[in-house]
Amino acid sequence: ARCLASANQQHIVTSPFGPVDIPETTIHEYVLKNVPEWPDNTALVCGMSGREYSYEALQALSRKIAAGFLKSGLKPGQVVALLLPNLPEHMIALLGALQAGLVVSSINPLYGPDEICHQISNSDAAVVLTFPAKISEAQEAIRQIQGPNKPPLIAIHQPTDTLPDGVRSFMELLMVEDEDEAEVDKVKVKPSDLALLLYSSGTTGLPKGVRLTHRNIVANLVQVDHPEIRIDRMSKSEPADATACVLPFFHIYGLTVGAFTHLTTGAKLVTIPRFEPEMYLKALIQHKVNIAHVVPPLVQFLANHPAVTAKHVSSLQYVINGAAAISSTDAKKLLEKKKVVIMSGYGLTESSPVITSARKTVTNLTTVGCVVSGSEVKICDTETGEIIDPSKPGEICCRGPQIMQGYHKNDQATAETIKDGWLHTGDVGYFDKDGQLFIVDRIKELIKVKGFQVAPLELEEILQSHKDIADVAVIGKKDKRSGEVPVAFVVKNPGSKLTEKEVLDFVSPKVAEYKQLDSVVFLDSIPKNSTGKILRRELRETINKA
Ligand code: 4UW
């Protein structure tokens, strides 16, 4: 047995970047730690309106918001839901909430009332921060909540907007006195405190709250702050870095890799509230963006879209891909336009998120890189669960300080996902001889549309509620533009004349745009194993072959 154990130990892949020292600090302290070095640098600028905030302003205003939250009666440990697009004030509010000891649960602003309701109720949000265009849907979501907890709404708005009765103004929240701010100092936020409650479906089921502490996030920020993978200029003689924050702050990638890492280096963050080619391209030129965090559809856009000229990409130095597999064809086309460094990272919401990251000197466009400092990865047989030789494909499992505490109010899902400290990712991959990871498959249910999660169960539950539907399974189909799109396999009730269009129209108003079904396949029965589990791989193979 000892012999086997040591053979297993040999199979564990450690980081080529060595160990890591995690400072005993909080997210806000870590992210704002260097502000005194560049108080006057622009921290945040709105790509739509041009409204901007210096680092000094970010620090001062986030403290005021922290004071405002406390003054409004919120207590450390309570949850603030942010239902916001990427705006400078989104980051101010988020860092403010953390300073007040509050837990941030970010909600996709494209969600409709049902989806918003699920997250607000499940997270027990004590307040919801939103913006004028979303107020009525947020109110509808709050009306739908079962039980007594009906959180109040606060809105970030223009001075000219009038807010409906009962909705508080963000500006009003900022109006605090020195003694209110002194209250912020009395809140002692510990590294072990919960900081973020972000929703992910994990390997199965409906979106669940991923419990991430200050320490989880700080650890991951330190893990990626290694000279071989860190991507800032870090030279005082050059202008500050600039990045366009088009990946949403409600998703772990856009928040930590896309924004936090750059706030620690004095970079300019151009917030893009929604992807519009013109706004994005204008930001690239106007702010001389040198770092672009992307998902595969954005690589495709930069590489192929006729509107993207050499001028638009002229200041780009680094293009970093994540959340789904990059297309090497698109990557090569982009390189023909501009010699940039293209590198990918890999990870999950459950791992804060980075597990592996490519080196800056990477030459292989499709690797997701090496294990980050202070973390370990093992590859397991997908049938037996045994650790195997990491050069053979198997399930990627990760251990390290960035792994979540568990799923919110769901011990069973936590126990199924974290075993002996190892996070089971549901992704299949292998390592090459240089310790670089390659992702080859996904064994979990999750569908990724443009890098965003779609939980099959969510669509299946909606479809099950249709009176003409007897059984259903939702699967991801490969798609050139979106990576994957959801397809429904539907078994009709006897005698039903249900059409594809009727099914699509039934789902359409109930979920956000990116979760919309692509198509429907009618079947006589859904293939299942002896325990009744849907044979998803079988279904996937039928549609991806065609
Ligand atoms: N290639 C193929 C990839 C890749 C991938 C993730 O929504 P979540 O929970 O989380 C994310 C995280 C993105 C991310 C992590 C680390 C990193 O450095 C970075 O920026 C460069 C981005 O999307 O979805 C997690 C699931 O997304 C898939 C994979 O299936 C994983 O389990 N995924 N990154 N590079 N697939």
Side-chain angles (χ1 to χ4, degrees), residues 45-51 85-88 158 270-274 276 279 282-283 286-287:
V45 50
C46 174
M48 193 161 65
S49 69
R51 189 169 68 253
N86 285 7
L87 299 170
Q158 303 288 344
V270 188
T271 55
I272 310 286
R274 56 178 178 272
E276 280 173 10
M279 197 196 312
K282 191 180 124 204
Q286 189 180 348
H287 298 286

Side-chain angles (χ1 to χ4, degrees), residues 25-36:
T25 181
T26 57
I27 296 173
H28 47 279
E29 278 165 7
Y30 185 81
V31 166
L32 297 173
K33 70 185 157 84
N34 297 326
V35 170

Side-chain angles (χ1 to χ4, degrees), residues 139 163-168:
Q139 286 174 323
L163 298 177
D165 277 351
V167 179
R168 273 197 78 185

Side-chain angles (χ1 to χ4, degrees), residues 72-125:
S72 76
L74 291 168
K75 299 272 176 294
Q78 285 190 308
V79 173
V80 176
L82 303 183
L83 179 63
L84 293 167
N86 285 7
L87 299 170
E89 295 78 9
H90 185 156
M91 186 56 73
I92 294 170
L94 191 148
L95 292 174
L98 295 177
Q99 283 172 61
L102 300 165
V103 178
V104 170
S105 189
S106 308
I107 308 178
N108 186 337
L110 298 175
Y111 273 7
D114 298 359
E115 295 156 310
I116 298 169
C117 175
H118 171 255
Q119 193 170 329
I120 302 180
S121 333
N122 187 270
S123 63
D124 300 308

Side-chain angles (χ1 to χ4, degrees), residues 144-184:
Q144 282 181 27
I145 296 175
Q146 313 277 323
N149 170 34
K150 307 262 184 193
L153 275 177
I154 301 174
I156 292 175
H157 62 97
Q158 303 288 344
T160 48
D161 292 326
T162 42
L163 298 177
D165 277 351
V167 179
R168 273 197 78 185
S169 156
F170 184 73
M171 321 254 207
E172 202 186 294
L173 208 65
L174 281 168
M175 286 178 215
V176 288
E177 310 291 330
D178 287 350
E179 62 256 35
D180 300 320
E181 288 194 42
E183 293 299 312
V184 178

Side-chain angles (χ1 to χ4, degrees), residues 447 475-479 483-487 518-519 540 543-544:
I447 303 172
I475 260 86
K477 179 175 117 182
K478 290 210 175 84
D479 180 81
E484 284 182 295
V485 287
V487 170
D518 170 76
S519 51
R540 266 203 285 168
I543 45 171
N544 286 322

